Amino acid sequence: LEVTPGARIVWTNDEGGEGAGAVTTVTFEQVGDQTRVVLRDLYPSKEALDEAIASESTGGFVEQFEALEGLLVTQGAS
């Protein structure tokens, strides 16, 4: 949905096309010689959040950060 290089990435997790998926926002902030990464999921309703928790679909963060790390490596970032 949105990409601000070096600062912010926003995407939807609505794989089913039903409008029940979360909107994920990841921000990157330089803090000294490190980068603070903040990930937020915004669900369209309490019911959608409860369903995601029940189906354990909120557990994909490890894979998402591994994919991000792989992308950074290919771009020469550390």
Side-chain angles (χ1 to χ4, degrees):
L1 299 173
E2 176 187 339
V3 175
T4 304
R8 178 178 164 105
I9 303 171
V10 181
W11 68 90
T12 183
N13 295 296
D14 190 17
E15 291 89 6
E18 300 171 6
V23 173
T24 300
T25 301
V26 180
T27 57
F28 306 89
E29 176 187 355
Q30 194 68 36
V31 180
D33 62 347
Q34 298 181 341
T35 302
R36 176 179 295 139
V37 179
V38 177
L39 184 142
R40 292 185 174 96
D41 276 340
L42 178 62
Y43 286 84
S45 67
K46 170 92 166 74
E47 292 78 20
L49 172 60
D50 290 344
E51 183 178 322
I53 291 170
S55 68
E56 299 182 0
S57 67
T58 58
F61 295 130
V62 171
E63 290 85 3
Q64 290 176 8
F65 281 110
E66 287 173 350
L68 175 60
E69 180 181 28
L71 176 64
L72 293 173
V73 167
T74 64
Q75 294 186 355
S78 56

